[in-house]
Amino acid sequence: MLHRITLVPFLSVMALVVTGCQGTGETVQSSAQQVVDGIAGKHQNVVRLTLHAVPRGESQARVVASTSAAKRGKPSDPEDLRAMESGQETVLQEGENLDVTVPMADAAGKWTSVAGVTLRTAGRTREQLVADARAIASELNA
């Protein structure tokens, strides 16, 4: 099932990342990082929250913000790229955690980024966790 998450209010942060601004690259990264950290901090079951996009002036998608410092700036994984290209969610079991890649579209409906939401399973069903991941990704719109 295809779920479209449209980035309307979040466009201000994504616009900085994807199209650039007159600020420095550090300012852009810092703004996106603050959003990701704030959202992840509201959810105790989030193991990792990562935002992937193609920054201005670059041709490859990479991690533009993540609660995992080791992931920041790294190229996006194949499953993240597939989700960004196809608009299809990707769900992977990672030990005791579930990693859900949620594609996000801009106001024109073009897939421009993905949110990688890794959650502790904590006795919840796969369907509940995927729904939680979608809801967390949608907070990027708020």
Side-chain angles (χ1 to χ4, degrees):
M1 180 185 303
L2 186 67
H3 293 272
R4 182 174 298 266
I5 294 183
T6 306
L7 301 173
V8 178
F10 186 62
L11 279 176
S12 59
V13 173
M14 281 310 296
L16 291 172
V17 174
V18 178
T19 63
C21 69
Q22 294 182 352
T24 66
E26 269 183 40
T27 302
V28 171
Q29 294 274 325
S30 177
S31 296
Q33 188 62 51
Q34 288 175 3
V35 170
V36 167
D37 288 340
I39 291 169
K42 294 190 296 184
H43 301 277
Q44 293 180 355
N45 64 333
V46 170
V47 173
R48 183 177 59 245
L49 181 58
T50 302
L51 180 62
H52 301 261
V54 179
R56 179 178 182 226
E58 297 183 29
S59 60
Q60 300 295 316
R62 65 179 173 86
V63 175
V64 296
S66 178
T67 55
S68 170
K71 291 230 177 233
R72 294 178 203 147
K74 302 282 186 193
S76 297
D77 292 331
E79 69 269 12
D80 303 311
L81 296 173
R82 278 191 303 275
M84 195 180 305
E85 291 169 3
S86 70
Q88 298 285 324
E89 291 173 347
T90 302
V91 181
L92 301 171
Q93 190 70 45
E94 293 182 349
E96 295 292 317
N97 303 319
L98 194 71
D99 181 51
V100 183
T101 302
V102 182
M104 298 183 293
D106 63 15
K110 180 181 176 190
W111 303 111
T112 58
S113 57
V114 297
V117 185
T118 305
L119 301 169
R120 288 180 191 85
T121 55
R124 296 177 58 84
T125 68
R126 181 181 179 100
E127 293 76 21
Q128 289 170 323
L129 291 165
V130 170
D132 288 350
R134 288 179 192 139
I136 291 166
S138 73
E139 288 184 42
L140 296 173
N141 294 328

